Amino acid sequence: MSETPAELRYAATHEWAQLRDGVVTVGISDFAQDALGDVVYVELPELDQEVAAGAEIAVVESVKAASDIYAPVSGTVVAINDGLEDAPERVNQDPYGDGWFFKLEPLDSGELDNLMAADAYQDHCETGEARES
């Protein structure tokens, strides 16, 4: 089974989110990066871009496919991981560390409660269905 850190929250679309010091860091899960295969390109959002929860905000391309990245919560982009431009393989190597995509200042941090806890996300990956967490 893929690594699924318990301190993170997960979207059904395989993004993870972590609230720290009022900012939400977002990346894709180990399950997602494994399913994609070798990541070769990442298109990141613009700084100061405002986004609604569930909206397309970035793109990740691998040797297998291109996939949209969705905002797990509503907010404003306050940082991007521009290191992924030169080293997109970081997404595969360290999806919960150096492979993060962007950071949002959330409009409502309570939206994180709409995301899955790690155990619910693991079930989702195994069955393809989300359950209440």
Side-chain angles (χ1 to χ4, degrees):
M1 182 66 195
S2 300
E3 181 183 353
T4 311
E7 68 274 13
L8 305 178
R9 302 293 285 183
Y10 300 87
T13 50
H14 305 290
E15 293 82 13
W16 59 262
Q18 182 178 38
L19 178 64
R20 184 178 287 153
D21 299 326
V23 174
V24 176
T25 302
V26 179
I28 62 170
S29 70
D30 188 37
F31 177 88
Q33 71 77 24
D34 185 58
L36 280 169
D38 293 337
V39 173
V40 296
Y41 176 74
V42 176
E43 181 180 316
L44 298 169
E46 297 291 324
L47 286 174
D48 299 321
Q49 179 178 341
E50 294 183 9
V51 63
E56 295 175 12
I57 188 168
V59 176
V60 60
E61 292 183 16
S62 72
V63 294
K64 293 182 182 178
S67 296
D68 292 323
I69 304 300
Y70 301 92
V73 297
S74 301
T76 303
V77 177
V78 295
I80 58 170
N81 187 354
D82 53 17
L84 295 180
E85 291 177 10
D86 294 329
E89 66 274 7
R90 290 181 184 171
V91 174
N92 297 114
Q93 296 165 347
D94 192 10
Y96 301 115
D98 288 341
W100 62 275
F101 281 59
F102 56 89
K103 296 183 181 191
L104 294 171
E105 183 176 305
L107 288 176
D108 177 4
S109 60
E111 286 184 335
L112 287 164
D113 295 337
N114 297 331
L115 301 175
M116 291 178 269
D119 58 347
Y121 178 69
Q122 285 179 328
D123 287 349
H124 169 70
C125 291
E126 291 171 8
T127 65
E129 297 179 11
R131 68 173 168 90
E132 295 297 315
S133 54

